[in-house]
């Protein structure tokens, strides 16, 4: 039976419909948030899966019809999820995963289908709400609810789920998720905001989250199904006691070894001793053998985890001997790679990242096909984590969710210090290659990429550094159990710890946050302590980075494209491009394959490694769009000669006609007698007709004609036989006047014979 629940949430209408759609799923809800509509469904397997982890899958499926678009590509249908969909699925997964009981091994799949999108009513957080609610009303055991919101800040005021317009002017892009009691996920980008502002924003978000959780609880009370009984995985106590009695003390010593690989070898040797023993034992069947081996392996992992946590919380001793706020040894270098535009390497302990920076033209921007309003981006940060970085053999190629997520975190952290496109019209890409890893490689990639940008000459506003903080608890966060916040967590502490809290920023403030936890939630006090401890660590890291490069280079690499920016009139764009691109392609060919970007507003950006080529290209384009004015003077080149005159190239392909009558103050009978192709000649523009045809004159640059007494210049006549003119017209067009008194008659005859007296 269909049920409808409705609530107002910060000026928008939130409506939940159940019982009508997707009825065969274990849990389903049709959520409307204004005009955004998301169908959230959950299904759970009947039996637990083999393995030592909880098999949860969360998907966020963006349908292009949701915003009235047809997908691109040959198939014209949605394919593999894009970057935004992948990151949103991670955003939903992270707060939901800790809300299942330890030992839960039944496979759970959550599918969010985005069917209609109102860009001012966040589909991402609608999907998170729907995912949690679908679990709450299903028969799947779930310790929720959870919910999430976005927070923006405009003119110093926090806003829940800001609109597109508000996001454009916001200096904060914060996603927070949590339960009614605590925060359990944070993802943020910020324009160098202080730790106190970030903390206030998180707590502001939590107050809104409580309202959504109350709404879910209200709905679940009315229509929620009774939770099913499931078998939670737990190791056999007999096997546990056997293993601890045999290698317990040896494992404590192995875990205290400083070097990662040496420590891992010692731990692995102890594990293999036990695994080999149990592998050789007799079993009733292969399934029993397999399950026992999985259990033994799980017990061994738990043994390591228990000792790591005990050492840290009780004795304040970390696996590598560091203090709880101590950073591993640091090193920073630039210019490792000679032919790239910028390169740097950052090392922190046994975590090492090489990052490169590449500068491209506007046409190199990434084209986006998602439900967001952005259709392209000029700044990309990619993160690669090859298996050799942890000494393993594994699959390479297409990046996974983790690599996409870490790349996006670095992209967000550095985006706030990049120059505007107006000031620096390049597409910018950094690629962080993790070559060695023992924890927090994502933050090392931020440090390495920041230095690579500076080495490439990108005028970033300030240096960005990042650090990963950890949390180890000894029990519930109720004030009765001690906890420890760790600076610069390594792999072992990350794997067995309760929190991974990444903080990046400048000396002024925070630019990115990301928090994942394995417990139900954390308090304001823990977040505050972690942020302040991270502040100190980030400053220490920046000082080391400055030893490699203090500020962005003033000049770009000789291998990077230089740029030249200028504007032309919008109506002239078609002249530069030409029919079918003929003109612009000719310019590119003549100018060593120069890259040319022309915006609709007439902005022209040229890219090439040679400044000389840029100058040449700019001159060619300016010649095409240049407008000739009356009385303007040129030093032109004669390109064609006819009897009636010559065509003179003024600049570029712009030509004008120099008529034979305007060549000299003396009479010129035939243009070819005095004008030749290839000659340069100074001309003046005397007329431009309605069709744009240009008429030129050279007379102004020649000497006046010599005065000749008693002679009249005639036009169009070769010989006269009657008085007062008698004789042949000479080469200069003059005929002698025989009698002085005939001069008066000559004036009268002018009309008849088209002559004039030479002055």
């Amino acid at each position: 039976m269909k049920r409808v629940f409705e609530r107002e949430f910060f000026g928008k209408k939130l409506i939940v419909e159940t019982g009508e759609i997707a009825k065969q799923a274990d849990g389903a809800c049709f959520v409307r948030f204004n005009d955004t509509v998301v169908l959230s469904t959950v299904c759970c397997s009947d039996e637990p899966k083999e393995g030592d982890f909880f098999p949860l899958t969360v998907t966020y499926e963006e349908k292009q019809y949701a915003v009235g678009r047809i997908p691109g590509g040959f198939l014209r249908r949605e394919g593999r999820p894009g970057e935004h969909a992948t990151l949103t699925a991670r955003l939903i997964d992270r707060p939901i995963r800790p809300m299942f009981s330890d030992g839960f091994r039944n496979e759970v799949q959550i599918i969010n289908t985005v069917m209609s999108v109102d860009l001012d009513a966040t589909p991402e957080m609608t999907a998170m709400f729907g995912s949690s609610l679908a679990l709450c009303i299903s028969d799947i055991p779930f310790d929720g609810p959870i919910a999430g919101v976005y927070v923006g800040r405009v003119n110093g005021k926090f806003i829940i789920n800001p609109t597109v317009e508000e996001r454009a002017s916001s200096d904060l892009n914060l996603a927070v998720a949590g339960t009614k009691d605590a925060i359990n996920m944070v993802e943020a980008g910020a324009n160098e905001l202080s730790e106190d502002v970030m903390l206030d924003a998180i707590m502001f978000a939590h107050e809104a989250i409580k309202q959504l959780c109350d709404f879910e609880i209200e709905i679940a009370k009315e229509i929620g199904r009774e939770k099913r009984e499931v078998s939670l995985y737990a190791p056999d106590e007999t096997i546990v006691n056997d293993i601890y009695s045999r290698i317990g003390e040896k494992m404590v010593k192995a875990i205290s070894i400083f070097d990662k690989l040496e420590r891992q070898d010692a731990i692995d040797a102890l594990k293999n001793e036990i695994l080999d023993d149990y592998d050789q034992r007799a079993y009733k069947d292969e399934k029993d053998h397999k399950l026992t081996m999985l259990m033994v392996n799980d017990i061994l992992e738990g043994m390591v985890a228990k000792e790591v946590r005990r050492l840290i919380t009780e004795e304040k001793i970390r696996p590598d001997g560091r203090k709880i706020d101590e950073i591993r040894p640091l090193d920073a270098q630039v210019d490792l790679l000679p032919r790239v535009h910028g390169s740097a390497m950052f090392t922190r302990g046994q975590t090492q990242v090489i990052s490169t920076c590449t500068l491209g033209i506007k046409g190199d921007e990434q084209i986006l096909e998602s439900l967001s309003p952005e259709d392209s981006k000029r700044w990309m940060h990619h993160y690669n984590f090859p298996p050799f970085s942890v000494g393993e053999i594994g699959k390479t190629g297409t990046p996974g969710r983790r690599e996409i997520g870490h790349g996006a975190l670095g992209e967000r952290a550095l985006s706030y210090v990049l120059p505007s496109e107006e000031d620096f019209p390049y597409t910018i890409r950094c690629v962080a290659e993790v070559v060695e890893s023992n924890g927090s490689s994502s933050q090392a990639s931020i440090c390495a990429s920041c230095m690579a940008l500076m080495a490439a000459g990108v005028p970033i506003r300030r240096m960005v550094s990042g650090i990963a903080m950890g949390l180890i608890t000894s029990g519930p966060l109720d004030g009765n159990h001690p906890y420890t916040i760790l600076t610069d967590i390594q792999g072992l502490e990350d794997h067995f710890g309760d929190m991974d809290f990444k903080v990046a920023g400048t000396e002024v403030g925070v630019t990115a946050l990301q928090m994942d936890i394995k417990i139900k939630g954390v308090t304001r006090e823990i977040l505050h302590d972690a942020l302040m401890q991270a502040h100190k660590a980030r400053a220490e890291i920046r000082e080391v980075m400055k030893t490699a490069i203090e500020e962005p280079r003033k000049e770009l690499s000789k291998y990077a494209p230089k740029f030249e920016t200028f504007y032309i009139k919008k109506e002239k764009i078609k002249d530069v491009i030409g029919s079918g691109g003929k003109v612009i392609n000719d310019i590119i060919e003549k100018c060593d394959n120069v890259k040319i970007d022309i915006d609709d507003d007439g902005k022209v950006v040229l890219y090439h490694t040679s400044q000389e080529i840029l100058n040449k290209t700019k001159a060619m384009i300016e010649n095409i769009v240049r407008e000739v004015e009356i009385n303007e003077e040129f030093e032109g080149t004669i390109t064609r000669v006819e009897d009636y005159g010559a065509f003179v190239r003024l600049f570029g392909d712009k030509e004008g006609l120099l008529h034979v009558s305007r060549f000299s103050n003396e009479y010129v009978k035939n243009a070819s007698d005095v004008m030749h192709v290839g000659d340069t000649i100074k001309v003046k523009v005397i007329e431009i007709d309605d069709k744009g045809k240009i008429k030129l004159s050279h007379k102004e640059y020649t000497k006046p004609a010599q005065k000749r007494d008693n002679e009249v210049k005639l036009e169009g006549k070769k010989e006269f036989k009657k008085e007062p003119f008698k004789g042949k017209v000479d080469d200069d067009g003059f005929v002698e006047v025989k009698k002085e008194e005939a001069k008066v008659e000559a004036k009268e005859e002018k009309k008849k014979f088209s002559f004039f007296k030479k002055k």
Side-chain angles (χ1 to χ4, degrees):
M1 183 177 68
K2 181 177 179 179
R3 296 291 303 275
V4 179
F5 302 87
E6 185 174 330
R7 177 168 290 195
E8 195 81 11
F9 186 68
F10 287 87
K12 298 181 178 72
K13 197 170 284 187
L14 180 61
I15 301 173
V16 174
E17 300 173 12
T18 66
E20 182 181 42
I21 298 172
K23 295 187 290 295
Q24 294 187 49
D26 289 329
C29 54
F30 202 61
V31 185
R32 300 178 183 273
F33 191 39
N34 274 10
D35 286 344
T36 289
V37 181
V38 179
L39 172 62
S40 297
T41 63
V42 297
C43 288
C44 179
S45 66
D46 294 329
E47 298 296 330
K49 296 291 184 180
E50 294 179 1
D52 58 353
F53 65 96
F54 168 38
L56 170 67
T57 304
V58 178
T59 61
Y60 177 83
E61 298 186 353
E62 295 182 314
K63 302 297 183 181
Q64 292 295 307
Y65 59 68
V67 286
R69 297 182 194 148
I70 295 175
F74 182 75
L75 297 177
R76 297 293 176 188
R77 66 176 297 159
E78 290 82 4
R80 59 174 293 192
E83 213 170 85
H84 180 259
T86 299
L87 294 172
T88 303
R90 278 172 53 89
L91 200 71
I92 298 168
D93 182 300
R94 283 154 48 197
I96 283 178
R97 188 173 290 272
M99 307 310 294
F100 286 85
S101 299
D102 290 339
F104 192 96
R105 295 291 186 267
N106 296 58
E107 185 173 11
V108 176
Q109 184 179 46
I110 303 173
I111 299 176
N112 296 284
T113 307
V114 183
M115 308 185 83
S116 176
V117 169
D118 173 356
L119 292 173
D120 288 336
T122 165
E124 299 89 351
M125 291 306 171
T126 305
M128 183 182 289
F129 174 85
S131 297
S132 174
L133 181 57
L135 286 166
C136 286
I137 64 177
S138 75
D139 66 345
I140 304 169
F142 176 62
D143 296 336
I146 64 98
V149 294
Y150 281 125
V151 178
R153 194 180 84 137
V154 179
N155 298 324
K157 181 182 178 183
F158 293 130
I159 302 169
I160 295 294
N161 293 335
T163 64
V164 172
E165 184 180 349
E166 288 168 337
R167 287 199 297 269
S169 54
S170 174
D171 58 5
L172 174 65
N173 180 15
L174 171 66
V176 181
T179 66
K180 191 174 180 180
D181 300 317
I183 300 297
N184 68 355
M185 192 281 296
V186 175
E187 185 93 43
N191 193 9
E192 299 181 282
L193 299 183
S194 71
E195 284 81 0
D196 287 337
V197 170
M198 297 301 295
L199 193 55
D200 287 343
I202 293 170
M203 293 301 109
F204 180 77
H206 191 220
E207 292 304 313
I209 288 168
K210 291 177 184 178
Q211 296 182 35
L212 292 175
C213 288
D214 284 338
F215 190 31
E216 291 183 59
I217 292 169
E218 175 189 319
I219 296 171
K221 280 182 179 178
E222 284 205 39
I223 64 170
R225 296 163 60 190
E226 184 179 347
K227 299 302 181 182
R228 70 176 75 169
E229 291 288 335
V230 295
S231 298
L232 297 179
Y233 166 81
D236 188 306
E237 285 299 320
T238 304
I239 299 177
V240 171
N241 294 332
D242 175 53
I243 293 173
Y244 268 80
S245 65
R246 292 167 61 185
I247 63 167
E249 292 183 6
K250 295 178 183 178
M251 187 64 80
V252 171
K253 292 179 181 178
I255 290 169
S256 300
I257 296 173
F258 172 78
D259 182 77
K260 174 193 173 183
L261 295 179
E262 193 179 332
R263 178 176 62 247
Q264 194 60 52
D265 287 342
I267 293 172
D268 287 344
L270 292 172
K271 285 183 176 181
N272 291 334
E273 177 187 330
I274 298 297
L275 289 168
D276 289 344
D277 175 36
Y278 275 87
D279 190 39
Q280 300 302 319
R281 297 186 182 189
Y283 298 95
K284 61 182 180 181
D285 55 34
E286 184 57 36
K287 183 178 181 182
D288 185 36
H289 178 207
K290 186 176 181 180
L291 290 175
T292 300
M293 294 307 296
L294 286 171
M295 183 181 296
V296 169
N297 190 68
D298 194 41
I299 293 169
L300 291 168
E301 281 291 296
M303 177 183 286
V304 176
K306 184 178 179 181
E307 180 58 21
V308 168
R309 297 171 67 86
R310 187 195 67 79
L311 284 170
I312 293 172
T313 55
E314 294 181 15
E315 300 183 30
K316 305 301 180 185
I317 296 174
R318 302 175 71 171
D320 56 5
R322 281 182 293 148
K323 298 175 183 177
I324 60 172
D325 62 349
E326 185 180 348
I327 305 173
R328 288 169 290 175
L330 301 171
D331 182 62
Q333 301 176 36
V334 294
D335 303 331
L336 278 80
L337 308 173
R339 297 298 289 255
V340 302
H341 301 163
S343 66
M345 182 169 72
F346 179 80
T347 306
R348 186 180 57 244
Q350 291 174 306
T351 294
Q352 189 175 67
V353 177
I354 296 174
S355 183
T356 60
C357 176
T358 306
L359 304 178
I361 65 173
K362 183 174 177 59
D364 291 327
E365 288 183 347
Q366 182 181 358
I367 304 302
L368 303 177
E369 192 175 67
S370 68
L371 304 184
S372 65
E374 293 82 17
D375 56 8
S376 65
K377 64 178 181 179
R378 63 181 279 259
W379 158 233
M380 294 161 278
H381 183 262
H382 295 148
Y383 166 100
N384 295 319
F385 191 89
F388 68 77
S389 66
V390 287
E392 296 177 357
I393 297 170
K395 191 173 76 171
T396 62
T398 306
R401 284 189 172 191
R402 180 176 180 273
E403 289 176 297
I404 292 171
H406 284 355
L409 178 61
E411 189 170 293
R412 188 183 309 116
L414 292 163
S415 65
Y416 291 94
V417 297
L418 291 176
S420 68
E421 186 176 359
E422 191 68 31
D423 295 334
F424 195 72
Y426 285 102
T427 296
I428 309 167
R429 181 189 185 225
C430 280
V431 179
E433 305 283 1
V434 180
V435 292
E436 188 178 1
S437 179
N438 184 16
S440 192
S441 56
S442 66
Q443 299 309 286
S445 75
I446 291 173
C447 299
S449 294
C450 179
M451 294 190 295
L453 287 166
M454 296 167 73
V458 180
I460 63 172
R461 196 163 65 237
R462 272 177 284 276
M463 181 178 280
V464 177
S465 59
I467 192 70
M469 311 300 294
L471 172 70
I472 307 291
T473 61
S474 60
L477 297 173
D478 54 9
N480 299 318
H481 296 83
Y483 63 84
T484 302
I485 294 173
L486 303 175
T487 295
D488 179 25
I489 55 174
Q490 58 173 312
L492 207 60
E493 295 163 336
D494 184 12
H495 183 64
F496 297 125
D498 298 313
M499 178 181 78
D500 180 10
F501 191 21
K502 303 177 178 77
V503 186
T506 68
E507 61 187 21
V508 174
V510 173
T511 58
L513 292 180
Q514 187 181 85
M515 185 189 78
D516 297 319
I517 64 172
K518 300 170 188 174
I519 54 178
K520 305 295 185 190
V522 292
T523 63
R524 180 188 179 108
E525 181 186 9
I526 289 175
L527 290 173
H528 175 268
D529 292 348
L531 283 168
M532 298 319 296
Q533 213 163 297
H535 179 88
K536 174 178 174 290
R538 289 190 295 107
E540 187 177 332
I541 291 169
R542 285 195 301 273
E543 290 305 311
V544 174
M545 292 167 65
K546 288 176 184 177
T547 63
I549 184 166
E550 281 201 67
E551 59 181 17
R553 289 190 171 132
K554 303 302 181 186
E555 294 184 358
L556 304 181
S557 161
K558 65 179 180 180
Y559 301 111
K562 314 295 186 297
F563 73 91
E564 187 78 35
T565 303
F566 57 100
Y567 286 84
I568 61 176
K569 292 183 178 179
K570 288 190 284 188
E571 57 268 23
K572 293 289 184 179
I573 294 175
K574 64 181 186 301
D575 298 332
V576 177
I577 295 174
S579 177
K582 182 179 179 181
V583 176
I584 197 167
N585 287 333
D586 183 59
I587 296 172
I588 292 170
E589 185 179 345
K590 289 178 179 177
C591 297
D592 191 28
N593 291 315
V594 66
K595 305 294 184 184
I596 305 173
D597 281 331
I598 305 178
D599 289 345
D600 292 340
D601 63 353
K603 180 183 177 182
V604 181
V605 186
L606 311 177
Y607 303 88
H608 200 276
T609 55
S610 166
Q611 187 62 48
E612 185 179 343
I613 292 293
L614 292 179
N615 295 340
K616 178 182 176 182
T617 308
K618 182 179 179 182
M620 291 179 71
I621 293 174
E622 287 182 334
N623 283 340
I624 292 171
V625 302
R626 183 174 171 183
E627 295 180 346
V628 178
E629 297 181 358
I630 301 292
N631 294 324
E632 196 171 357
E633 298 178 338
F634 295 93
E635 191 76 31
T637 302
I638 296 174
T639 59
R640 182 160 62 98
V641 178
E642 303 291 346
D643 290 342
Y644 54 82
F647 290 90
V648 181
R649 182 188 294 120
L650 307 179
F651 54 83
D653 294 330
K654 195 74 72 178
E655 289 188 341
L657 173 63
L658 173 59
H659 193 270
V660 66
S661 64
R662 302 298 303 181
F663 181 78
S664 172
N665 285 304
E666 303 286 351
Y667 173 74
V668 176
K669 181 178 180 182
N670 195 318
S672 60
D673 293 339
V674 292
M675 306 181 201
H676 305 92
V677 173
D679 289 351
T680 56
I681 184 169
K682 193 168 185 179
V683 291
K684 183 177 183 179
V685 179
I686 57 172
E687 184 181 338
I688 302 173
D689 66 17
D690 294 340
K691 295 182 179 180
K693 292 184 178 180
I694 302 168
K695 295 183 180 180
L696 308 171
S697 174
H698 181 63
K699 271 187 175 184
E700 289 75 9
Y701 313 107
T702 61
K703 295 180 180 179
Q706 185 180 352
K707 184 177 179 181
R708 301 169 69 159
D709 294 334
N710 298 327
E711 288 185 339
V712 174
K713 185 172 182 179
L714 305 175
E715 291 182 0
K717 300 292 181 179
K718 293 184 178 180
E719 186 175 359
F720 288 87
K721 295 182 178 179
K722 67 173 188 174
E723 297 290 348
F725 317 112
K726 193 171 183 179
K728 292 184 177 181
V729 179
D730 63 20
D731 290 340
D732 293 328
F734 288 88
V735 64
E736 185 178 359
V737 180
K738 299 296 184 182
K739 298 177 181 178
E740 187 68 26
E741 60 270 21
K743 290 180 182 180
V744 176
E745 295 179 48
K747 290 180 181 179
E748 293 299 323
E749 291 289 330
K750 178 179 178 181
K751 296 176 183 178
K752 182 177 179 180
F753 295 108
S754 300
F755 70 88
F756 59 89
K757 183 175 180 182
K758 186 68 179 176
K759 292 184 180 179

